[in-house]
Amino acid sequence: TRTKADILLCAAAIELLTKFYLACTGDAVVITSADDDIVSELQDLSYDRTAIIYSSDYANYPDACWAGLQLPKTPGSTTWKFKNLAGITADDLTTAEVGYVLGKDGNYYESIAGLSVISSEGVVVSGEYIDVIRGADELQVALAEDIYTLLVNAEKIPFTTAGIGVIENAIRYRVQKKIDDGFIAANTLVVTVPDIDDVDADEKAVRWLNGVTFSATLSGAIHKVTITGKLQV
């Protein structure tokens, strides 16, 4: 759909799910200073699960093209910027028009130096990068599946130091996969599990391992480069 009301309804529904919505609009108001267009309204809602692309070639479904190119790739392994959309006509936007789209956390497709690419940052309407949202979602879902599989397949995981270690190792394994995917920076993972002697007696009585945490640093991506050079005779 290209209808503002429909896009807003879809975005509201998707925000409640572990899903991702990629919308498109060809409304020329988007590339102006107006603040009541669909991209501005989505930005005001600050959704993390909706991204929108402006394209005057909206009838050829640039949103579907962009999604079809990126979604088969491992979540978090690829930036959504600099991508060529086969069969989609790039827009010729002025500097001011580009500024308006970027200022609204929208995306656009244009030709630069003879190459047609997504020149915007590849962000959802909250301003976060699409690859960060998808990579984090995949990590959360996969980790939950890993732990559940452990609990189901084992006769039991004892509530001991060794048992807690089984859970810790599962976390390390899954995060390492995301390091291998290029989503998380190497050597940044910190996993914290409770010492068995510090576990609350009531929680142990109901067989609930609480207080397991981890942190890691995103690998990010390079989108801009500044080079300063000096030539001498």
Side-chain angles (χ1 to χ4, degrees), residues 150-172:
L150 281 174
L151 295 173
V152 169
N153 290 340
E155 290 297 331
K156 75 171 182 179
I157 297 177
F159 212 135
T160 62
T161 297
I164 293 173
V166 170
I167 303 300
E168 178 182 355
N169 288 338
I171 296 170
R172 292 187 179 279

Side-chain angles (χ1 to χ4, degrees), residues 3-13 21 38 41-42 45 47:
T3 304
K4 180 195 288 190
D6 292 343
I7 292 174
L8 290 171
L9 285 172
C10 290
Y21 175 39
I38 180 58
E41 290 193 22
L42 286 171
L45 293 167
Y47 287 152

Side-chain angles (χ1 to χ4, degrees), residues 58-81:
Y58 59 88
N60 281 322
Y61 301 99
D63 44 346
C65 185
W66 199 15
L69 176 67
Q70 291 296 93
L71 293 179
K73 300 173 184 177
T74 301
S77 68
T78 172
T79 177
W80 285 57
K81 186 172 183 174

Side-chain angles (χ1 to χ4, degrees), residues 26-37 54 100 104:
D27 187 352
V29 178
V30 170
I31 55 176
T32 72
S33 60
D35 60 5
D36 59 349
D37 58 278
Y54 167 80
Y100 291 134
K104 299 174 184 181

Side-chain angles (χ1 to χ4, degrees), residues 3-13 15 21-25 30 35-53 104-107 123-127:
T3 304
K4 180 195 288 190
D6 292 343
I7 292 174
L8 290 171
L9 285 172
C10 290
E15 191 67 13
Y21 175 39
L22 182 53
C24 176
T25 181
V30 170
D35 60 5
D36 59 349
D37 58 278
I38 180 58
V39 183
S40 295
E41 290 193 22
L42 286 171
Q43 182 189 44
D44 288 343
L45 293 167
S46 196
Y47 287 152
D48 283 328
R49 301 192 172 279
T50 293
I52 188 166
I53 178 173
K104 299 174 184 181
D105 288 319
N107 298 281
V123 295
V124 294
V125 296
S126 69

Side-chain angles (χ1 to χ4, degrees), residues 180-192:
D180 296 340
D181 291 341
F183 179 59
I184 292 174
N187 303 315
T188 63
L189 173 62
V190 176
V191 182
T192 302

